[in-house]
């Protein structure tokens, strides 16, 4: 049974950092693509970043390029999203999700989802 559990969210001041974790079970993260998505109140779910299960290639939405870094630790079967220089507009519930092999920032293409973790950027 595929299961994803996010952690690491919280309240942080603008300019601060957080590292989100996505612990996977029921599959190995190096075979599957992992995507990070976020959803703010009243807004659609947005693809933030993804890492492919083939060559580890990564993709980012323009608004987080240079600030966020996606990675995975195959030994721990966990993916991460390091978020630096956080801005109030980054406030949202962040979700990780998985799909076979190739990464994508399109939420509808992902099969399995975690429950989400809240990130709030505020002074």
């Amino acid at each position: 049974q595929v299961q994803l559990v996010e952690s690491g969210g919280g309240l942080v001041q603008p300019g601060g950092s957080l590292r989100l974790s996505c612990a996977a079970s029921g599959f190995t993260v190096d075979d599957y693509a992992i995507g990070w998505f976020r959803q703010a109140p009243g807004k659609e779910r947005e693809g933030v970043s993804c890492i492919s299960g083939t060559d580890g290639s990564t993709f980012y939405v323009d608004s987080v390029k240079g600030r966020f870094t996606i990675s995975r630790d195959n030994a721990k079967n966990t993916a991460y999203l390091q978020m630096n220089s956080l801005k109030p507009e980054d406030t949202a519930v962040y979700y990780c999700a998985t799909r076979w092999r190739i990464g994508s920032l399109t939420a509808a293409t992902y099969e399995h989802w975690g429950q989400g973790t809240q990130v709030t950027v505020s002074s």
Side-chain angles (χ1 to χ4, degrees):
Q1 181 181 356
V2 173
Q3 188 173 14
L4 299 167
V5 179
E6 302 97 334
S7 61
L11 173 64
V12 63
Q13 292 186 341
S17 299
L18 285 173
R19 188 178 79 158
L20 305 183
S21 299
C22 174
S25 59
F27 72 102
T28 53
V29 295
D30 54 340
D31 287 336
Y32 286 75
I34 299 291
W36 283 99
F37 297 83
R38 64 186 180 187
Q39 189 165 19
K43 294 188 177 181
E44 292 187 356
R45 191 165 296 189
E46 174 189 35
V48 175
S49 181
C50 62
I51 183 167
S52 290
T54 51
D55 58 1
S57 54
T58 58
F59 302 91
Y60 299 91
V61 69
D62 286 347
S63 60
V64 308
K65 284 181 180 177
R67 300 189 298 123
F68 290 11
T69 303
I70 191 171
S71 63
R72 64 179 182 225
D73 184 332
N74 295 340
K76 295 182 178 180
N77 215 34
T78 299
Y80 303 96
L81 185 68
Q82 177 67 44
M83 307 186 295
N84 299 328
S85 302
L86 283 161
K87 304 176 181 180
E89 51 263 45
D90 295 318
T91 296
V93 177
Y94 283 70
Y95 301 87
C96 65
T98 184
R99 54 171 275 170
W100 178 244
R101 289 295 193 177
I102 306 299
S104 166
L105 294 183
T106 303
T109 65
Y110 283 75
E111 298 177 81
H112 302 285
W113 292 80
Q115 82 289 347
T117 185
Q118 176 70 47
V119 171
T120 303
V121 185
S122 175
S123 55

